Amino acid sequence: MLAHSRIATVSVRTAGPFDLGRLSRLHRSCFEEAWSRSDLAHLLALPGGFGLIARLHEGGFYGLDALRGVGFALCRVVRDESELLSIGVLPAQRHRGVARALMRHSMERCLRQGANVMFLEVAVDNLAAQRLYGEMGFEQVGSRPDYYQRADGARVGALTMRCDLVQACGVLTPAG
Ligand SMILES: CC(C)(COP(=O)(O)OP(=O)(O)OC[C@H]1O[C@@H](n2cnc3c(N)ncnc32)[C@H](O)[C@@H]1OP(=O)(O)O)[C@@H](O)C(=O)NCCC(=O)NCCS
């Protein structure tokens, strides 16, 4: 089996109405509870809602392979606040900086659209995501017991995290 090339470039674009199938497949690959095309269409149609899709270019932008869609993020801006509704990366393409790129683009876009803070919820046992968010400048500001219900019926709590976008985007490498 070929190992992943270490030389890979991530590009991020806005998801449009033709991406609902792709977004739904990506979401299903990342979460037990899949969101349907109509769930996703509803979220993208909310005032201030937008989606992003990440592509991975093997060998840099001029390499032969550009994988079509390896990750996604869904966000919403309401006045001066924003929320990360969901983020996920295909299991085979993790640990390559795709989520970090999606987070950076999401945060910068929300800032440009007038938000100065971003909130999110993350399961208490999702240590990978918590580490990612911490690295991007998020801090825990609350907790919600039994917030999620897993496919087996078990309930798991969530942490609410908050990020000051003005401060965080000032120290992040600008999104291309
Ligand atoms: C969480 C998730 C989005 C990370 O995607 P990714 O593309 O692999 O993340 P990146 O490669 O950009 O990693 C960025 C940082 O996140 C943290 N991180 C990512 N995966 C991690 C893991 N398995 N364990 C610990 N830290 C991890 C690290 O700090 C990492 O930085 P490093 O590579 O310098 O160590 C991905 O694992 C995923 O899709 N999980 C399932 C869906 C999910 O849980 N979404 C979040 C719901 S709140």
Side-chain angles (χ1 to χ4, degrees):
M1 191 169 80
L2 285 176
H4 279 315
S5 160
R6 296 304 301 165
I7 309 167
T9 311
V10 183
S11 67
V12 175
R13 66 173 176 83
T14 302
F18 295 116
D19 290 312
L20 288 174
R22 176 165 295 136
L23 278 173
S24 153
R25 283 192 296 279
L26 283 168
H27 191 279
R28 194 180 325 123
S29 306
C30 297
F31 293 96
E32 283 179 4
E33 191 204 331
W35 290 356
S36 68
R37 289 167 70 118
S38 62
D39 294 335
L40 291 159
H42 172 73
L43 288 177
L44 293 180
L46 290 171
F50 67 89
L52 299 175
I53 291 182
R55 292 170 73 172
L56 203 50
H57 302 256
E58 302 282 4
F61 278 111
Y62 303 104
L64 290 178
D65 280 334
L67 303 178
R68 286 188 76 77
V70 297
F72 72 96
L74 298 170
C75 303
R76 188 177 183 199
V77 178
V78 179
R79 290 185 285 276
D80 58 354
E81 295 190 353
S82 60
E83 187 179 3
L84 181 74
L85 302 168
S86 189
I87 185 169
V89 175
L90 289 179
Q93 305 300 337
R94 290 181 186 165
H95 308 290
R96 305 184 81 191
V98 175
R100 189 184 289 119
L102 282 163
M103 287 298 298
R104 201 175 61 232
H105 278 78
S106 299
M107 292 161 68
E108 290 185 357
R109 173 139 169 195
C110 288
L111 183 65
R112 281 200 304 277
Q113 288 185 204
N116 51 41
V117 289
M118 182 179 262
F119 291 92
L120 59 81
E121 256 98 34
V122 56
V124 290
D125 58 358
N126 191 345
L127 302 183
Q130 285 172 37
R131 187 159 157 209
L132 167 72
Y133 301 144
E135 195 185 281
M136 301 305 295
F138 283 78
E139 291 176 348
Q140 184 188 342
V141 290
S143 60
R144 296 173 185 256
D146 300 333
Y147 187 70
Y148 298 108
Q149 182 161 18
R150 294 268 154 81
D152 64 2
R155 303 214 65 109
V156 59
L159 310 180
T160 301
M161 301 186 83
R162 174 190 186 279
C163 178
D164 179 329
L165 292 178
V166 179
Q167 194 182 341
C169 292
V171 297
L172 295 175
T173 311

